[in-house]
Amino acid sequence: MLRRPRGSDAIAIRRVVAETDVLDLNSTYAYLLLATDFADTTVVAETDGRVTGVITGYVPPQRPDVLFVWQVAVAPAAQGRGIAGAMLDHLVRRVVGDRGGRPLTVEATVAPDNAPSRAFFASFARRHGVPISEQPHFTAAQLDPDLTHADEPLLRIGPIVTPTAI
Ligand SMILES: CC(C)(COP(=O)(O)OP(=O)(O)OC[C@H]1O[C@@H](n2cnc3c(N)ncnc32)[C@H](O)[C@@H]1OP(=O)(O)O)[C@@H](O)C(=O)NCCC(=O)NCCS
Protein backbone atom coordinates (compact mmCIF):
# COMPACT_ATOMS: atom_id res chain seq x y z
CA MET A 1 0.00 0.00 0.00
CA LEU A 2 1.24 3.49 -0.89
CA ARG A 3 0.12 6.37 1.31
CA ARG A 4 0.93 9.71 2.87
CA PRO A 5 3.12 9.36 5.96
CA ARG A 6 1.97 10.19 9.49
CA GLY A 7 3.99 11.37 12.45
CA SER A 8 3.98 7.83 13.84
CA ASP A 9 5.97 6.69 10.75
CA ALA A 10 9.06 8.84 11.42
CA ILE A 11 11.00 6.14 13.29
CA ALA A 12 10.21 3.49 10.66
CA ILE A 13 11.17 5.89 7.85
CA ARG A 14 14.52 6.48 9.53
CA ARG A 15 14.99 2.70 9.89
CA VAL A 16 14.40 2.13 6.17
CA VAL A 17 16.87 4.88 5.23
CA ALA A 18 19.44 3.38 7.66
CA GLU A 19 18.93 -0.12 6.22
CA THR A 20 19.97 1.07 2.73
CA ASP A 21 23.46 1.73 4.12
CA VAL A 22 24.19 4.27 1.38
CA LEU A 23 21.99 7.30 2.08
CA ASP A 24 22.81 10.09 4.51
CA LEU A 25 20.93 9.29 7.70
CA ASN A 26 19.03 12.25 9.14
CA SER A 27 17.59 12.68 12.61
CA THR A 28 14.24 11.24 13.64
CA TYR A 29 13.15 14.84 14.12
CA ALA A 30 13.92 15.62 10.46
CA TYR A 31 11.88 12.61 9.33
CA LEU A 32 9.10 13.71 11.68
CA LEU A 33 8.96 17.09 9.94
CA LEU A 34 8.84 15.36 6.57
CA ALA A 35 6.12 12.96 7.76
CA THR A 36 3.93 15.80 9.04
CA ASP A 37 4.54 19.25 7.51
CA PHE A 38 5.74 17.72 4.22
CA ALA A 39 3.33 14.75 4.15
CA ASP A 40 1.70 15.97 0.93
CA THR A 41 5.00 15.61 -0.94
CA THR A 42 6.22 12.44 0.78
CA VAL A 43 5.07 8.84 0.32
CA VAL A 44 5.60 5.59 2.19
CA ALA A 45 5.15 2.03 1.00
CA GLU A 46 3.71 -0.37 3.54
CA THR A 47 3.90 -4.15 3.27
CA ASP A 48 2.08 -6.28 5.85
CA GLY A 49 1.80 -3.28 8.17
CA ARG A 50 5.50 -2.44 7.97
CA VAL A 51 7.06 0.54 6.21
CA THR A 52 9.28 -0.87 3.44
CA GLY A 53 9.90 2.23 1.35
CA VAL A 54 9.87 5.99 1.42
CA ILE A 55 10.31 8.99 -0.87
CA THR A 56 10.74 12.30 0.90
CA GLY A 57 10.19 15.50 -1.03
CA TYR A 58 9.02 19.08 -1.01
CA VAL A 59 8.03 21.89 -3.35
CA PRO A 60 10.84 24.48 -3.28
CA PRO A 61 9.27 27.84 -2.36
CA GLN A 62 11.12 29.60 -5.21
CA ARG A 63 10.15 26.93 -7.79
CA PRO A 64 6.48 26.07 -7.27
CA ASP A 65 6.39 24.00 -10.48
CA VAL A 66 8.94 21.56 -9.04
CA LEU A 67 8.74 18.48 -6.83
CA PHE A 68 12.19 18.15 -5.30
CA VAL A 69 12.83 14.51 -4.41
CA TRP A 70 15.21 14.31 -1.47
CA GLN A 71 15.63 10.67 -0.47
CA VAL A 72 14.39 7.48 -2.12
CA ALA A 73 14.82 4.36 -0.01
CA VAL A 74 13.51 0.81 -0.19
CA ALA A 75 14.41 -1.75 2.48
CA PRO A 76 16.93 -4.24 1.02
CA ALA A 77 14.56 -7.21 1.38
CA ALA A 78 11.91 -5.36 -0.65
CA GLN A 79 14.15 -4.06 -3.46
CA GLY A 80 13.80 -5.13 -7.09
CA ARG A 81 10.00 -5.42 -6.99
CA GLY A 82 9.06 -2.06 -8.46
CA ILE A 83 8.31 -0.37 -5.13
CA ALA A 84 10.45 2.73 -5.73
CA GLY A 85 9.05 3.28 -9.22
CA ALA A 86 5.49 2.84 -7.95
CA MET A 87 6.14 5.29 -5.10
CA LEU A 88 7.42 8.01 -7.45
CA ASP A 89 4.55 7.50 -9.90
CA HIS A 90 2.07 7.68 -7.01
CA LEU A 91 3.67 10.80 -5.55
CA VAL A 92 3.79 12.66 -8.87
CA ARG A 93 0.18 11.73 -9.64
CA ARG A 94 -0.88 12.98 -6.21
CA VAL A 95 1.04 16.28 -6.41
CA VAL A 96 -0.18 17.01 -9.96
CA GLY A 97 -3.73 16.24 -8.82
CA ASP A 98 -3.39 18.46 -5.73
CA ARG A 99 -2.17 21.30 -7.98
CA GLY A 100 -5.18 21.09 -10.27
CA GLY A 101 -3.24 19.41 -13.07
CA ARG A 102 -0.52 22.03 -13.53
CA PRO A 103 2.65 20.56 -15.10
CA LEU A 104 5.27 19.36 -12.67
CA THR A 105 9.02 18.91 -13.04
CA VAL A 106 10.79 16.41 -10.79
CA GLU A 107 14.21 17.43 -9.50
CA ALA A 108 16.76 15.38 -7.58
CA THR A 109 20.47 15.55 -6.99
CA VAL A 110 22.47 12.44 -7.72
CA ALA A 111 26.14 11.78 -7.13
CA PRO A 112 27.94 10.91 -10.39
CA ASP A 113 28.80 7.40 -9.17
CA ASN A 114 25.31 6.47 -7.92
CA ALA A 115 24.38 4.20 -10.83
CA PRO A 116 21.19 2.73 -9.23
CA SER A 117 19.85 6.21 -8.57
CA ARG A 118 20.61 7.38 -12.10
CA ALA A 119 19.01 4.25 -13.54
CA PHE A 120 15.96 4.82 -11.35
CA PHE A 121 15.38 8.40 -12.55
CA ALA A 122 16.18 7.52 -16.17
CA SER A 123 13.59 4.75 -15.97
CA PHE A 124 11.03 7.22 -14.55
CA ALA A 125 11.70 9.67 -17.41
CA ARG A 126 11.34 6.91 -20.03
CA ARG A 127 8.12 5.66 -18.47
CA HIS A 128 6.55 9.10 -18.70
CA GLY A 129 8.07 10.04 -22.05
CA VAL A 130 9.70 13.23 -20.74
CA PRO A 131 13.26 14.54 -21.07
CA ILE A 132 15.86 14.33 -18.35
CA SER A 133 18.62 16.94 -18.09
CA GLU A 134 21.56 17.46 -15.77
CA GLN A 135 23.26 20.63 -14.50
CA PRO A 136 25.74 21.51 -11.75
CA HIS A 137 24.09 22.16 -8.38
CA PHE A 138 25.45 21.31 -4.94
CA THR A 139 29.22 21.01 -4.78
CA ALA A 140 31.47 18.79 -2.69
CA ALA A 141 32.77 21.90 -0.93
CA GLN A 142 29.25 22.83 0.16
CA LEU A 143 28.59 19.35 1.51
CA ASP A 144 31.78 18.55 3.37
CA PRO A 145 34.81 20.69 4.32
CA ASP A 146 37.07 17.65 3.85
CA LEU A 147 35.72 17.14 0.31
CA THR A 148 35.00 13.48 1.00
CA HIS A 149 31.50 13.96 -0.38
CA ALA A 150 31.04 13.97 -4.16
CA ASP A 151 29.38 16.80 -6.08
CA GLU A 152 25.61 16.47 -6.32
CA PRO A 153 24.52 17.65 -9.79
CA LEU A 154 20.83 18.29 -10.37
CA LEU A 155 18.63 16.07 -12.52
CA ARG A 156 15.50 17.72 -13.94
CA ILE A 157 12.81 15.41 -15.30
CA GLY A 158 9.77 16.78 -17.08
CA PRO A 159 7.63 18.72 -17.32
CA ILE A 160 5.04 16.03 -16.65
CA VAL A 161 1.80 17.33 -18.05
CA THR A 162 -0.90 14.70 -17.86
CA PRO A 163 -1.46 12.92 -14.57
CA THR A 164 -3.85 10.47 -16.22
CA ALA A 165 -0.98 9.22 -18.37
CA ILE A 166 0.96 8.23 -15.25
C1 LIG B 1 17.49 2.62 -5.71
C2 LIG B 1 16.29 2.00 -4.97
C3 LIG B 1 15.45 3.09 -4.34
C4 LIG B 1 15.45 1.23 -5.99
O1 LIG B 1 14.33 0.66 -5.32
P1 LIG B 1 13.54 -0.55 -5.99
O2 LIG B 1 12.18 -0.65 -5.38
O3 LIG B 1 14.39 -1.75 -5.95
O4 LIG B 1 13.45 -0.03 -7.51
P2 LIG B 1 12.40 -0.50 -8.61
O5 LIG B 1 12.25 -1.99 -8.54
O6 LIG B 1 11.14 0.30 -8.49
O7 LIG B 1 13.16 -0.11 -9.95
C5 LIG B 1 12.84 1.08 -10.65
C6 LIG B 1 13.84 1.26 -11.77
O8 LIG B 1 15.15 1.57 -11.25
C7 LIG B 1 16.10 0.63 -11.73
N1 LIG B 1 16.98 0.20 -10.63
C8 LIG B 1 16.61 0.02 -9.35
N2 LIG B 1 17.67 -0.43 -8.63
C9 LIG B 1 18.72 -0.50 -9.50
C10 LIG B 1 20.08 -0.90 -9.37
N3 LIG B 1 20.59 -1.31 -8.21
N4 LIG B 1 20.87 -0.83 -10.46
C11 LIG B 1 20.37 -0.40 -11.66
N5 LIG B 1 19.08 -0.04 -11.84
C12 LIG B 1 18.27 -0.09 -10.78
C13 LIG B 1 15.30 -0.57 -12.17
O9 LIG B 1 15.98 -1.25 -13.21
C14 LIG B 1 13.99 0.00 -12.60
O10 LIG B 1 14.05 0.39 -13.94
P3 LIG B 1 13.20 -0.42 -15.05
O11 LIG B 1 11.79 -0.47 -14.52
O12 LIG B 1 13.35 0.45 -16.26
O13 LIG B 1 13.82 -1.75 -15.13
C15 LIG B 1 16.75 1.01 -3.89
O14 LIG B 1 17.64 0.07 -4.46
C16 LIG B 1 17.45 1.67 -2.71
O15 LIG B 1 16.80 2.04 -1.72
N6 LIG B 1 18.79 1.81 -2.81
C17 LIG B 1 19.57 2.44 -1.77
C18 LIG B 1 19.23 3.91 -1.62
C19 LIG B 1 19.56 4.75 -2.84
O16 LIG B 1 20.54 4.56 -3.56
N7 LIG B 1 18.69 5.74 -3.06
C20 LIG B 1 18.77 6.66 -4.13
C21 LIG B 1 17.83 6.21 -5.19
S1 LIG B 1 17.20 7.56 -6.12
Side-chain angles (χ1 to χ4, degrees):
M1 176 173 70
L2 304 177
R3 60 169 174 81
R4 278 180 175 75
R6 323 180 253 272
S8 54
D9 293 317
I11 289 170
I13 290 171
R14 189 172 188 273
R15 169 185 49 76
V16 170
V17 172
E19 283 177 2
T20 68
D21 243 4
V22 297
L23 295 175
D24 286 347
L25 187 61
N26 298 293
S27 66
T28 302
Y29 195 98
Y31 292 113
L32 189 51
L33 291 178
L34 290 159
T36 54
D37 287 349
F38 295 89
D40 286 346
T41 48
T42 292
V43 59
V44 292
E46 192 179 280
T47 311
D48 299 328
R50 195 172 164 82
V51 173
T52 49
V54 62
I55 296 181
T56 61
Y58 65 93
V59 175
Q62 305 88 342
R63 303 193 301 289
D65 59 334
V66 165
L67 171 67
F68 186 89
V69 169
W70 184 4
Q71 291 192 306
V72 183
V74 173
Q79 289 176 7
R81 296 185 206 157
I83 290 178
M87 285 195 297
L88 189 53
D89 288 353
H90 175 96
L91 186 58
V92 167
R93 186 188 310 120
R94 183 210 293 165
V95 173
V96 171
D98 287 351
R99 295 154 40 93
R102 290 205 310 283
L104 185 71
T105 295
V106 172
E107 290 184 353
T109 68
V110 178
D113 61 351
N114 192 338
S117 184
R118 285 172 174 276
F120 171 72
F121 286 113
S123 163
F124 174 79
R126 273 197 310 276
R127 199 157 59 245
H128 298 286
V130 294
I132 183 166
S133 64
E134 182 167 342
Q135 62 195 64
H137 196 58
F138 296 139
T139 63
Q142 288 175 310
L143 288 158
D144 183 349
D146 298 327
L147 300 186
T148 56
H149 204 297
D151 285 346
E152 290 265 349
L154 185 73
L155 299 183
R156 301 192 87 239
I157 307 156
I160 296 159
V161 178
T162 319
T164 49
I166 295 173

